[in-house]
Amino acid sequence: MRYRNRRVFLASALGVAAQSVAVAYLVLVDGVGSGDLVDLAALLSMASLFAWFFVRVGIQPLIVVEGDTVVVHNPLLSYQAPLSQTQFLARGGKFALRLEGVGHVRPWVLCRSVLDGDRARSARRECRELIREARLGRTDESAAWPESGRAGARQWMRVGAAEALLLLPLAFLIWNVIDMASGI
């Protein structure tokens, strides 16, 4: 099972593309930055920051079940756990996974939202059935973590190519702080 919310993905991809079009329009047609480099730097850093947000929130979240492992990619954190050590929790229309060693995790792409539809409901149902089958067929040797030899889930901070989009806003922020400090 591999699930990504297509509607959110497409909306975010359009948001990233719109950033490029808006910047090109403002620079080429409106002449932003032609007189002052600070205006151009501010425009580019804001566009970069918005593009990073769209990538993190809509493009990167994903849930994958391969073999006996579930991997959840949320916007900032990722989780990986054996299916046999995962519990499916659903109460009052809310959905979460309980991963041994980590706690409750709400997969970003399977949460109820305005863009939720039949495809998301069927993905939640499929995930629940896969977890139930793995827990019923659980044996002592399958409960151990296959790669590292340890039981339980693992959690890590997501860092990747998308963070390159944060370099320009960070540089602009540092530049402004230094400029304001030297002007005092």
Side-chain angles (χ1 to χ4, degrees):
M1 177 188 135
R2 184 176 187 91
Y3 180 75
R4 174 176 289 163
N5 193 326
R6 269 191 263 168
R7 292 178 183 162
V8 174
F9 179 84
L10 291 174
S12 294
L14 286 173
V16 170
Q19 294 303 312
S20 305
V21 171
V23 168
Y25 175 80
L26 290 172
V27 170
L28 299 175
V29 176
D30 280 355
V32 172
S34 60
D36 192 9
L37 185 61
V38 175
D39 290 342
L40 181 61
L43 174 69
L44 292 175
S45 67
M46 288 302 293
S48 181
L49 188 61
F50 287 138
W52 176 82
F53 177 78
F54 283 128
V55 167
R56 277 299 191 175
V57 169
I59 295 176
Q60 289 185 340
L62 174 72
I63 186 168
V64 179
V65 177
E66 290 178 348
D68 64 341
T69 304
V70 62
V71 179
V72 177
H73 294 293
N74 281 344
L76 296 176
L77 298 172
S78 291
Y79 308 91
Q80 184 175 15
L83 275 175
S84 60
Q85 295 180 359
T86 304
Q87 288 180 329
F88 185 90
L89 304 172
R91 289 188 183 100
K94 295 184 179 179
F95 163 76
L97 297 175
R98 186 180 171 282
L99 307 178
E100 287 183 25
V102 172
H104 292 83
V105 173
R106 293 191 68 193
W108 187 269
V109 295
L110 292 180
C111 293
R112 297 180 68 80
S113 70
V114 175
L115 303 174
D116 192 36
D118 292 334
R119 190 168 175 267
R121 281 190 289 280
S122 67
R124 282 192 295 270
R125 187 174 29 257
E126 182 181 352
C127 183
R128 181 180 58 238
E129 290 170 4
L130 288 169
I131 290 170
R132 184 175 17 153
E133 289 172 8
R135 289 184 67 80
L136 290 176
R138 182 179 184 173
T139 62
D140 291 336
E141 56 270 4
S142 69
W145 193 251
E147 289 101 59
S148 65
R150 67 183 181 108
R154 68 184 189 110
Q155 168 186 2
W156 67 94
M157 176 73 86
R158 297 200 57 193
V159 179
E163 276 59 52
L165 292 170
L166 290 177
L167 293 176
L168 188 59
L170 183 62
F172 185 69
L173 175 70
I174 292 170
W175 178 32
N176 276 326
V177 168
I178 291 171
D179 186 42
M180 287 175 63
S182 66
I184 292 178

